[in-house]
Structure formats: structure tokens, C-alpha cells
Amino acid sequence: MKMKRFIYVGLAIFATHSMFAQANILNAKIPEEIGMKTEAELLLDNDKPLEYGYVGDRDILFSKMIWEKVVLDERVNFPLYFPVEDNLGDDRKSLYKVLKENMDTGMIPKVYADSYFTEERTLEDLEASLTMTRITDAGIDYMNENGVSEAELPEEYVIRRDIGPADINSYLIKGLWYFDKRQGELKYRILGIAPAAPDVNFIDDENSENSEPIPMFWVFYPEVRELLHEAKAFNNMNSASPISFDHLLNSRRFHGLIYKEENVYGDREVKEYIAENALMQLLESERIKNKIRDFEQDMWSY
């Protein structure tokens, strides 16, 4: 019985992994059938993100809130950035595309202005930071000559620029490191994530002083875990077994630089007390990381 049960479990796992790449790609008769799962596959595809275990406040012996900047120019962070095109199908999307589409459809009901999740933002509120609309000089002349309003102005005189996946150059991640005394180990929990890009009004101006990336919006991470579990990131080692964005982020398969920790000075950022010195800011980030890591090591020193 045990051997038979083991074989059944193995077959179920194999069947689940075999359909993660592009469903039905080997059985499709026409291109439209690629990605369309059969009824049997849909019944098997009922996995959910791994649930967080309950952590009581009394079980937390030590904790430190940190904010990290995940720069997408680094190769290890490429799965969060690519693809930037829209022609690779529904199963190949960047993280920003997944977040934005779910916001537009209402699957992500709440986004926030800051990482403390105190001020909600609507799509109308975000329009100014995600879209730039400018009337050309010829359009202004047309309005003056014909006495028309902006709403009546022909599209040829209006320049529109939207923030797209290719414009996102980093992600800001808020997380909590804590030592669980019941489990006896140091753990990490993501609390919020925000895509960051230059100001849309100056994004195409290479010489602008406003090229520093700013967060577009903040999302409370536990609220969007199921959506990020359904969306898959590309696995460069094995395209038949892509990894979900939720798994990628929770397993910390990215490289981030700590730019802020909670502190008595109002959670000031590293650059506020170490100004105009990139090397010292990097060393300060490493100092904060080592301080957290050393706490766990010290717990086992006798």
C-alpha cells in the first residue's frame, strides 16, 4: 500500500509539473489551442501558495523592519523585469504587467501611496504618475486659431506617454526579519512591494535631474499572493518548470540593497545620514544586514 501510494503521489507531481510550461503545446492542432488546458488539467491545477504559519507576538524574540531596493539591471533580478513585450502570450508577463493588469480589472482592490499602507490610492489618483499627456506647440496654435478646448483637440496634437514594463528599473520591497523562538530560527516575511520608475514627465529626458526612480504605488503583499502564485516567472534553468512570482519573492531569489531600516529617527533612509557617498552607503547597507544575521549567530554562541 505504501509503495502504491508513493507511485500515485509521484505521478500527480509529475503531471502537475509537466503542464507548467505552455499547457497543451505538444497536443495543439492550431496555435490558438496552445495554453488551453484540458478539463483534467484544470482539476489537477488546484495548487495554492504555501500558507504562512501563524506567528504569535510572544514567539517573536527579535525583529527588524527593512526596506530593500531591487535593481533590475542585475542579472539575478531579470525574472522580475522580463519580458517587456506584450507578444509572448498570457503565460509570459513581467511582474509589473501582472500587477497593473490585476489593478485594472479590480483583482487588486487596494493600492497605497506609501509603505505604511495608511493612504489608499485609486486608478484615477495614479493616472498622473503613470501617464503623461502634453499638447504640442502646433496643438496650442490650433486651439487658439479655432477656439476649441483640450477635449476637442485632435489626437495628432496630443502626446501621451505611459509607464510600461520597460520603464520599471527597480522594485522597493518592505519586509520583516524576525527570530521565531518557538522554531529557533531567523525568518523573513514580505509585507509590501512597489514598482519604481523615473517621473513620467521627465522619463525621456536623459539629462533631467528627476531621473531618480520613485515608487509608483505600494501593494500589501499578503493580499496579492494568490495572484502572484498564478503568474509564472521564466526559469532559465528549465523552461518546462517555471517558478511563480510568489515563490520567487518568498524564497528571496533576488538581490536587494537595504536603503532603510526602522529607527528612532523617523525611519530615515541611509542616504539621509550618509550623503553623496555611494561606497559608504553600500557599506552601511551591509552593516545593517550583518547586524540582523549576527543576532541569529549569537543565539547559538555559548
Side-chain angles (χ1 to χ4, degrees):
M1 287 296 293
K2 291 184 178 180
M3 180 60 68
K4 185 181 296 184
R5 184 181 302 173
F6 178 78
I7 294 174
Y8 287 156
V9 172
L11 290 174
I13 294 174
F14 176 77
T16 303
H17 281 281
S18 65
M19 65 184 180
F20 273 163
Q22 285 186 338
N24 206 38
I25 190 171
L26 298 180
N27 302 315
K29 299 297 188 295
I30 56 177
E32 287 75 10
E33 292 182 357
I34 298 177
M36 296 179 60
K37 298 180 180 180
T38 63
E39 293 184 3
E41 289 174 333
L42 291 174
L43 290 174
L44 288 174
D45 192 17
N46 60 352
D47 61 325
K48 295 183 179 180
L50 185 65
E51 292 186 8
Y52 291 146
Y54 175 77
V55 181
D57 292 337
R58 295 181 179 181
D59 296 334
I60 300 177
L61 184 63
F62 163 84
S63 69
K64 175 65 71 173
M65 192 80 70
I66 63 167
W67 287 257
E68 294 176 275
K69 183 177 182 180
V70 179
V71 180
L72 299 181
D73 286 342
E74 300 183 35
R75 185 175 297 275
V76 68
N77 298 329
F78 280 178
L80 298 173
Y81 178 69
F82 290 103
V84 295
E85 301 87 2
D86 295 332
N87 59 350
L88 297 181
D90 292 336
D91 58 340
R92 292 288 303 277
K93 298 178 182 178
S94 66
L95 178 57
Y96 175 76
K97 190 74 173 178
V98 172
L99 293 174
K100 186 63 169 61
E101 287 185 350
N102 282 284
M103 286 169 52
D104 294 338
T105 58
M107 296 299 292
I108 299 180
K110 297 179 182 178
V111 294
Y112 300 87
D114 55 32
S115 61
Y116 298 97
F117 314 111
T118 56
E119 188 176 352
E120 292 187 25
R121 285 285 186 264
T122 63
L123 290 177
E124 291 75 15
D125 298 331
L126 296 175
E127 187 174 358
S129 59
L130 299 179
T131 303
M132 181 270 294
T133 303
R134 186 173 67 242
I135 300 175
T136 63
D137 294 337
I140 295 175
D141 295 337
Y142 182 89
M143 292 172 60
N144 294 332
E145 293 173 0
N146 298 276
V148 299
S149 63
E150 293 185 14
E152 302 171 328
L153 191 65
E155 290 292 327
E156 59 187 281
Y157 297 114
V158 179
I159 299 176
R160 285 187 172 85
R161 176 69 160 87
D162 296 324
I163 294 290
D167 300 316
I168 304 299
N169 53 22
S170 61
Y171 283 93
L172 307 182
I173 296 179
K174 177 184 179 181
L176 180 72
W177 284 100
Y178 65 96
F179 188 87
D180 189 336
K181 66 181 182 181
R182 186 180 295 273
Q183 300 292 333
E185 60 182 326
L186 187 69
K187 296 182 179 181
Y188 177 73
R189 184 74 61 86
I190 297 180
L191 297 178
I193 186 170
D199 191 329
V200 68
N201 297 294
F202 307 96
I203 194 170
D204 296 320
D205 187 358
E206 297 180 355
N207 299 320
S208 174
E209 297 180 355
N210 299 290
S211 59
E212 182 71 18
I214 56 176
M216 302 290 99
F217 52 84
W218 280 91
V219 176
F220 187 59
Y221 187 80
E223 191 175 18
V224 300
R225 285 195 66 207
E226 290 196 8
L227 298 174
L228 296 184
H229 179 73
E230 295 175 0
K232 308 300 180 183
F234 184 75
N235 185 352
N236 198 41
M237 302 299 296
N238 182 7
S239 61
S241 180
I243 181 174
S244 71
F245 282 113
D246 178 65
H247 186 188
L248 186 148
L249 292 168
N250 274 307
S251 59
R252 291 191 60 84
R253 292 175 61 169
F254 61 85
H255 177 260
L257 180 68
I258 298 175
Y259 70 92
K260 183 169 70 169
E261 66 169 333
E262 59 177 355
N263 52 66
V264 70
Y265 304 102
D267 296 350
R268 65 179 180 179
E269 297 185 16
V270 170
K271 66 180 181 182
E272 294 181 26
Y273 60 93
I274 302 179
E276 300 180 357
N277 192 328
L279 176 59
M280 295 305 297
Q281 291 174 4
L282 179 61
L283 293 177
E284 175 67 8
S285 175
E286 290 297 316
R287 184 192 70 82
I288 297 172
K289 184 187 301 182
N290 290 332
K291 180 175 63 175
I292 299 172
R293 185 167 50 196
D294 288 347
F295 179 88
E296 182 185 29
Q297 297 297 322
D298 294 341
M299 289 299 297
W300 308 114
S301 300
Y302 297 96

